[in-house]
């Protein structure tokens, strides 16, 4: 029997409008699902069940009044714990913010509340969004619903696992170097990183400000379009948000790929990519060709420097952003001393986990006098070269296609070397460096585990990516697969 939690947002929205179900029923079905499977999956840092039911009752009142409602009204969604929620703990997966309740909502949350969503909870993540497995959460690791011994990816692993396990109909995460696309790939979801500046970062706890973007996780392209539409747009409170008008994302889902030019970056077939991933992605590329797309190879010659440049730039920005956690302004504070410097030192020693400390040290080193030119400046030059690679490619192509992650979901504890973990993002990082948009969509299975297909688009071409994604879904059923009963 199809359970309510199996519905897509689009399907549930129709049933709500026809008054065949209520938002309270839909929400209760998700809260029950959370009670049943969350003890195994551990996707949430906080389940906001009372708030969810209150919001659901409010949504039902609006439906009863017959108001002209938003497509997300009454829809149960989960929010990564890096997005500020007024009066509700926003931990960032860190001891440092374990008891932090923001006095304001992120712009994205304001928009979602105006739309009338139901928030079922805040989701687990790698501490301060640093990681690719959710194992760097200070609280507990999240499990992949497709295999509970494996990681869901990260850093937005909780948001991905919640949707893959049917605990939320969609969710939001943040992507600085791949943290939406890689977990989407490992959990069989659509995960979209918008163009830099498309979505407000106001109230998104900063990791690397020139790279961070909030974006959606969904079970299909149409749902992803609805979730993106709800949060996109200019915001006066984020000086880097773009005034460019927002496209009609659902309107772009025409399903026709005739004449669409899609490039396959030669440099993205790197050693270390699992053969099962390579063969699934190659088969997907053939599918796109059959759908009428013109496929040809393209070169992005500076790809191989992407990871190195990212691991200078992101930690450099992080080291500056995280200097605010000094035990005075926010969160955890070491009080067992009357010495100010000792209090700050101990606050940071106990408040931050090992990966965060590693990044702060890397970043501080790269920015220090004498090393700035050798590291940070070089990395910024590489960033420009990577951006130019993409600009040239998008003169010839509407989109690019590649694997989203070099591997399927790996076992929890399997990757202990930080550098090996950093390589998880080899295909996703260049898009953040260049500020372009990207999406991972369900692209089949290897040894029973999901493989993600990455589509990259030029700035503000989210509509093109969603159009390709929906055309691909029309001829595949990967996105309809559910993990075996948990
Ligand atoms: N895995 C990458 C990192 O650890 C990207 C994280 C992210 O996108 N937030 O930095």
């Amino acid at each position: 029997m199809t359970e309510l939690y199996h519905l897509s947002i689009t399907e549930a929205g129709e049933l709500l409008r026809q008054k065949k179900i209520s938002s309270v029923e839909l929400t209760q079905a998700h809260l029950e699902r959370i009670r049943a499977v969350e003890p195994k999956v551990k996707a949430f840092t906080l389940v906001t069940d009372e708030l969810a039911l209150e919001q659901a009752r409010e949504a039902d009142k609006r439906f009863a009044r017959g108001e002209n409602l938003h497509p997300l009204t009454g829809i149960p969604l989960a929010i990564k714990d890096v997005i500020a929620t007024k009066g509700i703990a926003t931990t960032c997966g860190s001891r440092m913010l374990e008891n932090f309740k923001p006095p304001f909502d992120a712009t994205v949350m304001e928009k979602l509340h105006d739309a009338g969503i139901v928030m079922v909870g805040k989701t687990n993540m790698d501490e301060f969004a640093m990681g690719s497995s959710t194992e760097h959460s200070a609280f507990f690791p999240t499990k992949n619903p497709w295999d509970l011994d494996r990681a869901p990816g990260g850093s937005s692993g909780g948001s991905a696992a919640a949707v893959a396990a049917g605990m939320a109909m969609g969710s939001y995460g943040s992507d600085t170097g791949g943290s939406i696309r890689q977990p989407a790939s490992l959990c069989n979801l659509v995960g979209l990183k918008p163009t830099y500046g498309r979505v407000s970062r106001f109230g998104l706890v900063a990791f690397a400000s020139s790279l961070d973007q909030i974006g959606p996780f969904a079970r299909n392209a149409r749902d992803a379009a609805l979730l993106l539409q709800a949060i996109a747009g200019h915001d006066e409170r984020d000086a880097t948000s773009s005034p460019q008008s927002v496209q009609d994302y659902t309107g772009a889902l025409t399903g026709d790929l005739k004449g669409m030019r899609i490039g396959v970056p030669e440099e993205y077939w790197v050693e270390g990519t699992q053969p099962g991933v390579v063969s699934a992605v190659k088969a997907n590329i053939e599918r796109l060709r059959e759908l009428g797309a013109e496929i040809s190879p393209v070169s992005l010659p500076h790809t191989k420097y992407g990871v190195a440049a990212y691991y200078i730039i992101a930690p450099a920005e992080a080291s500056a952003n995280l200097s605010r956690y000094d035990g005075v302004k926010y969160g955890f504070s070491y009080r067992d001393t009357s010495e100010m410097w000792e209090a700050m030192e101990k606050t940071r020693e106990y408040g931050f986990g090992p990966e965060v400390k590693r990044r702060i040290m890397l970043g501080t080193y790269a920015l220090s006098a004498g090393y700035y030119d050798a590291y940070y400046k070089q990395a910024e030059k590489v960033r420009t070269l990577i951006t130019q690679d993409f600009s040239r490619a998008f003169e010839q192509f509407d989109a690019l296609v590649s694997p989203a992650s070099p591997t399927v979901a790996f076992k929890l504890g399997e990757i202990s070397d930080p550098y090996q973990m950093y390589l998880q993002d080899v295909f996703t990082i260049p898009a953040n460096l260049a500020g372009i948009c990207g999406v991972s969509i369900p692209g089949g299975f290897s040894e029973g585990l999901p493989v993600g297909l990455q589509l990259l688009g030029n700035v503000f071409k989210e509509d093109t990516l969603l159009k390709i994604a929906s055309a691909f879904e029309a001829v595949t059923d990967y996105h309809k697969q559910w993990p075996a009963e948990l």
Side-chain angles (χ1 to χ4, degrees), residues 184-198:
S185 168
L186 272 44
C187 292
N188 202 42
L189 298 172
V190 177
L192 189 145
K193 182 203 91 76
T195 304
Y196 186 75
R198 180 69 302 172

Side-chain angles (χ1 to χ4, degrees), residues 52-109:
L53 285 169
E54 198 182 298
Q55 290 174 331
R57 280 191 290 270
E58 190 52 39
D60 284 336
K61 275 190 215 151
R62 290 169 69 177
F63 281 117
R65 288 197 294 265
E67 287 174 17
N68 184 18
L69 298 170
H70 190 278
L72 296 184
T73 308
I75 299 293
L77 301 176
I79 308 292
K80 186 178 181 181
D81 215 8
V82 69
I83 299 175
T85 45
K86 187 175 178 176
I88 297 169
T90 300
T91 70
C92 260
S94 181
R95 294 273 169 231
M96 191 63 93
L97 292 177
E98 194 170 1
N99 300 309
F100 174 59
K101 291 186 178 161
F104 63 95
D105 268 325
T107 296
V108 159
M109 289 315 299

Side-chain angles (χ1 to χ4, degrees), residues 80 125-133 136 154-156 174-183 193 207-208 211-213 310-311 314-315 355 359 418 421-425 428-429 432:
K80 186 178 181 181
M125 54 184 283
D126 288 298
E127 187 173 4
F128 285 101
M130 297 172 187
S132 301
S133 69
H136 295 314
S155 64
S156 313
S174 64
D175 191 312
T176 303
S179 281
I180 294 174
R181 287 161 289 158
Q182 183 257 11
K193 182 203 91 76
F207 164 10
L211 302 161
D212 301 337
Q213 274 289 288
Y310 172 88
Y311 277 98
E355 184 60 29
R359 305 283 179 110
M421 193 68 94
Y422 297 171
L423 291 178
Q424 272 292 310
D425 291 319
T428 49
I429 276 173
N432 300 76

